[in-house]
Amino acid sequence: MGALIYPTNVSVDGYIEDANGAFDWMPVHDDVFATHTELMRSAGTLLYGRRLYEAMSVWETDPALAEHSPEFAGFAAAWRAPAKVVYSRTLTGAPTADTRIERDFDPAQVKELKAAADRDLIIGGADLAAQALAAGLVDEVQLYVHPVAVGGGKPGLPTGARIDLELIDERRIGSSGVVLLRYRPRA
């Protein structure tokens, strides 16, 4: 059975996007990038919301990204490898291989995916992850906390719901100032 992991980059005040929808406050650091690549290599399936999928699909559709550096090439290969399930009511097709579109998030279906998986599953997109957290499906939350406060925007964790978490690991990533906090949701 695979674990369902929700990794997300957040500002120190808990946002994945600022009030304008931007995330340019999150510079790419080689050490942080390598950590994301390592996690991606562990995944057999990616569960994404439409917006995150559209942003990330360039790792497969734009070959120039992989040519940028060996680190980018490694991430692109790691991102292309897993199967992808995209939850969207508006997408009619997917520009990436091994990708299927689901109209609605179905907790029972995700539970079956987890039970059949021999590798971990990664869920991405704050709204989608909130649904999985509410359904008790998330096995691990990984917060990559960046040393900047953006003052508002889209939160990385659901608002209006209590989620008790148990810290299972903490690590400073290189000299970036980014801290990786790994949590297990408590039942």
Side-chain angles (χ1 to χ4, degrees):
M1 182 162 122
L4 182 59
I5 301 168
Y6 172 45
T8 191
N9 292 289
V10 295
S11 62
V12 76
D13 51 350
Y15 296 100
I16 60 173
E17 298 173 354
D18 67 18
N20 297 318
F23 48 88
D24 57 355
W25 47 266
M26 197 177 354
V28 177
H29 296 281
D30 288 344
D31 294 338
V32 176
F33 199 73
T35 303
H36 283 294
T37 301
E38 179 183 325
L39 175 63
M40 192 61 65
R41 286 184 179 134
S42 74
T45 306
L46 305 177
L47 308 175
Y48 277 170
R50 179 194 54 82
R51 286 184 60 210
L52 182 60
Y53 170 72
E54 288 177 336
M56 296 298 290
S57 66
V58 296
W59 289 103
E60 185 169 333
T61 61
D62 184 355
L65 276 176
E67 295 169 5
H68 180 75
S69 70
E71 292 80 17
F72 276 38
F75 185 84
W79 192 86
R80 285 190 307 266
K84 293 156 194 73
V85 180
V86 180
Y87 296 89
S88 172
R89 292 191 180 114
T90 58
L91 285 179
T92 57
T96 58
D98 200 8
T99 302
R100 79 171 194 262
I101 310 290
E102 293 288 340
R103 294 296 169 217
D104 296 299
F105 179 79
D106 179 358
Q109 182 184 52
V110 174
K111 191 173 185 179
E112 288 175 15
L113 274 174
K114 284 177 59 174
D118 58 357
R119 299 181 69 199
D120 291 339
L121 299 89
I122 293 175
I123 191 162
D127 295 334
L128 185 63
Q131 292 177 64
L133 282 160
L137 295 170
V138 175
D139 299 295
E140 185 174 327
V141 174
Q142 295 186 1
L143 300 177
Y144 292 80
V145 182
H146 291 256
V148 60
V150 298
K154 185 172 190 172
L157 291 172
T159 57
R162 179 179 171 149
I163 303 169
D164 292 319
L165 302 170
E166 175 187 351
L167 183 65
I168 56 175
D169 190 28
E170 58 188 89
R171 177 173 58 150
R172 183 179 178 154
I173 302 177
S175 61
S176 65
V178 174
V179 177
L180 171 58
L181 302 173
R182 294 178 52 218
Y183 294 98
R184 180 179 306 122
R186 293 183 184 168

